Amino acid sequence: WKTLNSFYLILITIFEAVVVISLEAVVFAKFKMTDGLSKGIPVYLIIFILSLLFQVGLVWDAVRQKNTIQIIAFLLFNLCCFSYGIFQFKQIANALEAALGRDNSLMDGLQNIMVATPVIIGVCQLIYVYLGTRLYLEFGWRIYKKIGADPDIRNMYRWYQIFLTILKLDLFFFLGFSIQFLALVLKRGDAEFALTIVALPFTVVILVLAVYAVHHESKYLFLSFFIGLGAGVSYFIFKICRMYDANEAYKYEYVRYVLTFFGNYGGKQ
């Protein structure tokens, strides 16, 4: 944040988060005050709000670490938020139509807010692309001065940045998957409820272990990380297979596609 480009990027990211979260909070409040609506929409709104907060942390850390790969990941992540901002319009409209009928005053009151959300994110995305391009060149020059022109070292450093960025994104998508799964699908008496609760701290420990292993170049810790990674992949495969099991399909009628997206991303890491 010592340069104007860095300062502007962080400032606009905070601005976007504050404005969009305020709009989403209004939508959330109106849903909570209306009886007979699915609890799925409020949960999705909470995930959307958390994604904007995560985005602020992601860009702040990218600037602090001068991580060019993370700047690119931030641009793609904000593009996902833009896509979801468009997707939520139809999602909420369908939920209101199913519960209140096609003609309802609540949808009329929320329409402007839901249109404003992707517009704001889209405008910010254009600014981010410009600032991100400038920072990519700026950070590239600083990294060059720091580690030199050796192509092997530069290649290793690039893979190091990619690895750390994937870990951070993986943490968000796993937590998002687990929150939705616990809130929308499982009940306290289900066997998978306890499994999901246990998986939360286990996964966080595995990701922290990976960072520690990289920094200390520990082969044994990396071996432990790969074992945990294999367990995590098995966990997501199990969850996704359950979603498409004919005997369990009724539980995932309205959440299958969103959970599949979060689960596929988390499982592929």
Side-chain angles (χ1 to χ4, degrees):
W1 53 87
K2 294 180 180 179
T3 66
L4 282 178
N5 290 324
S6 301
F7 175 75
Y8 288 149
L9 184 64
I10 294 175
L11 185 64
I12 295 171
T13 306
I14 294 173
F15 167 79
E16 178 192 357
V18 170
V19 174
V20 175
I21 287 174
S22 299
L23 295 175
E24 295 298 307
V26 173
V27 177
F28 180 83
K30 287 185 178 295
F31 259 81
K32 294 297 288 184
M33 290 187 298
T34 304
D35 296 328
L37 294 179
S38 167
K39 66 178 181 179
I41 297 298
V43 172
Y44 292 145
L45 292 175
I46 291 173
I47 295 295
F48 193 26
I49 290 171
L50 290 177
S51 72
L52 293 165
L53 295 175
F54 173 79
Q55 187 170 265
V56 173
L58 189 69
V59 74
W60 176 82
D61 186 60
V63 169
R64 185 176 65 89
Q65 299 286 349
K66 298 178 179 60
N67 189 333
T68 54
I69 302 299
Q70 198 162 309
I71 291 291
I72 296 172
F74 159 71
L75 295 175
L76 295 175
F77 190 87
N78 190 70
L79 192 60
C80 290
C81 291
F82 171 74
S83 301
Y84 184 78
I86 297 174
F87 171 71
Q88 80 164 353
F89 183 91
K90 182 172 180 56
Q91 188 181 37
I92 291 176
N94 290 340
L96 291 177
E97 183 179 335
L100 305 176
R102 184 177 296 274
D103 298 322
N104 60 84
S105 58
L106 183 57
M107 183 60 195
D108 295 335
L110 294 178
Q111 189 168 356
N112 291 336
I113 295 176
M114 290 189 293
V115 169
T117 296
V119 170
I120 293 170
I121 296 176
V123 171
C124 289
Q125 176 72 13
L126 295 176
I127 300 173
Y128 294 151
V129 170
Y130 171 75
L131 292 175
T133 303
R134 299 291 298 270
L135 285 174
Y136 186 87
L137 298 174
E138 184 180 307
F139 290 169
W141 173 242
R142 288 173 182 243
I143 292 170
Y144 176 81
K145 291 194 295 183
K146 179 181 179 180
I147 65 176
D150 189 319
D152 292 332
I153 295 178
R154 289 173 63 85
N155 189 49
M156 285 189 292
Y157 188 73
R158 185 181 299 109
W159 280 110
Y160 168 75
Q161 288 185 320
I162 292 172
F163 181 71
L164 291 184
T165 301
I166 288 175
L167 290 179
K168 293 164 190 173
L169 292 174
D170 195 35
L171 179 62
F172 170 79
F173 279 96
F174 174 76
L175 292 177
F177 176 89
S178 299
I179 290 171
Q180 293 175 81
F181 209 83
L182 288 169
L184 300 178
V185 178
L186 299 180
K187 298 179 181 178
R188 288 187 178 272
D190 294 339
E192 289 183 57
F193 188 88
L195 177 63
T196 305
I197 293 293
V198 171
L200 280 168
F202 175 77
T203 302
V204 173
V205 169
I206 290 298
L207 295 178
V208 172
L209 183 67
V211 176
Y212 186 86
V214 169
H215 285 169
H216 292 80
E217 299 181 4
S218 171
K219 294 181 180 178
Y220 297 107
L221 288 179
F222 245 112
L223 178 61
S224 301
F225 165 68
F226 281 120
I227 293 173
L229 193 64
V233 171
S234 301
Y235 168 82
F236 278 109
I237 291 174
F238 167 74
K239 291 286 191 181
I240 293 173
C241 288
R242 291 272 286 180
M243 290 181 208
Y244 293 91
D245 183 350
N247 296 325
E248 300 287 331
Y250 69 94
K251 294 182 180 179
Y252 309 95
E253 184 176 359
Y254 300 109
V255 298
R256 182 180 294 111
Y257 298 117
V258 176
L259 285 176
T260 300
F261 171 75
F262 273 80
N264 269 313
Y265 187 90
K268 285 179 181 177
Q269 304 315 310

